[in-house]
């Protein structure tokens, strides 16, 4: 799914870099500068956009992605565009709470998340097409960083995104 978004961006002529968190020694958060390797934080800081994909286990994103989100150092992310993808296996349960975790991270770091993409085996093919289009959209949006003016601006932006207010019942209906 992440590859599909990056493939579309590359097809438009944008340089992309796919990074696997498992290739880094990411520690759980203890104190500033202790969890996420400096080089990984630097790559995130330098990126014009971020595409973050994570598997869902037991109703939320996996621990490695959570440790990354807890400890990555981003000094100037306000207005940076981002796409999140949460992939729930098996029954698909947790796809809403998983995508919400990623977008809460984007919100707290002041990134402008677009097109939240919760994925299960039931919508996988549709999601592949969706993230391909999101890759194109990210290229267009990346031409101009749009910082949030204040906390109210950020909250209003995130309240309008799809899936951010999903409850467990909404998730069951989505899966049905």
């Amino acid at each position: 799914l992440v590859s599909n978004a990056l493939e579309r961006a590359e097809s438009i002529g944008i340089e992309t870099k796919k990074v696997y968190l498992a290739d880094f020694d990411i520690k759980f958060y203890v104190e500033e500068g202790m969890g996420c390797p400096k080089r990984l934080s630097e790559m995130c800081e330098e990126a014009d956009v971020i595409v973050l994909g994570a598997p869902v286990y037991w109703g939320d994103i996996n621990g490695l992605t959570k440790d990354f989100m807890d400890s990555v150092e981003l000094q100037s992310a306000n207005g940076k565009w981002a796409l999140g993808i949460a992939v729930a296996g098996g029954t698909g349960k947790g796809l809403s709470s998983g995508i919400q975790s990623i977008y809460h991270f984007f919100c707290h770091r002041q990134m402008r998340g677009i097109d939240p993409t919760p994925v299960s085996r039931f919508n996988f093919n549709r999601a592949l097409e969706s993230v391909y289009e999101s890759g194109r959209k990210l290229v267009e949006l990346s031409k101009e960083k749009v910082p949030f003016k204040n906390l109210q601006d950020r909250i209003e932006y995130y309240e309008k995104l799809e899936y951010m207010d999903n409850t467990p019942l909404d998730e069951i209906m989505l899966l049905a």
Side-chain angles (χ1 to χ4, degrees):
L1 289 153
V2 170
S3 295
N4 244 29
L6 297 179
E7 179 183 309
R8 179 62 172 142
E10 286 177 354
S11 75
I12 301 171
I14 299 301
E15 180 184 340
T16 66
K17 180 173 179 105
K18 187 173 180 182
V19 175
Y20 293 90
L21 296 180
D23 292 342
F24 292 87
D25 186 23
I26 300 171
K27 306 281 188 213
F28 60 89
Y29 182 84
V30 178
E31 60 184 81
E32 285 297 317
M34 296 298 291
C36 188
K38 185 176 181 176
R39 181 64 194 129
L40 183 55
S41 288
E42 288 170 351
M43 285 190 285
C44 291
E45 189 76 45
E46 293 165 2
D48 292 326
V49 302
I50 291 181
V51 177
L52 181 60
V56 171
Y57 299 112
W58 297 105
D60 208 346
I61 58 171
N62 68 323
L64 179 61
T65 305
K66 181 68 170 115
D67 288 343
F68 162 76
M69 293 183 333
D70 286 345
S71 61
V72 65
E73 293 184 32
L74 292 169
Q75 303 305 315
S76 61
N78 190 3
K80 183 180 296 234
W81 296 97
L83 170 66
I85 305 164
V87 183
T91 64
K93 291 181 182 167
L95 77 160
S96 288
S97 52
I99 201 66
Q100 288 168 353
S101 289
I102 293 171
Y103 280 76
H104 289 155
F105 164 69
F106 292 160
C107 179
H108 288 287
R109 294 302 181 106
Q110 301 179 352
M111 290 184 252
R112 283 195 180 266
I114 66 161
D115 303 342
T117 310
V119 183
S120 71
R121 62 190 170 107
F122 306 110
N123 72 336
F124 186 82
N125 289 333
R126 221 176 23 241
L128 277 174
E129 294 171 16
S130 172
V131 296
Y132 192 77
E133 177 58 25
S134 295
R136 182 206 56 78
K137 189 191 269 185
L138 282 172
V139 170
E140 291 301 313
L141 292 169
S142 72
K143 295 174 183 172
E144 183 180 354
K145 198 172 180 180
V146 183
F148 292 103
K149 297 175 198 130
N150 52 41
L151 180 59
Q152 180 179 342
D153 183 30
R154 192 168 11 132
I155 290 170
E156 288 174 353
Y157 178 85
Y158 275 91
E159 282 186 345
K160 293 176 186 170
L161 288 179
E162 191 173 13
Y163 307 112
M164 293 303 99
D165 62 350
N166 269 21
T167 67
L169 178 58
D170 294 321
E171 181 176 279
I172 290 168
M173 296 306 294
L174 179 66
L175 289 167

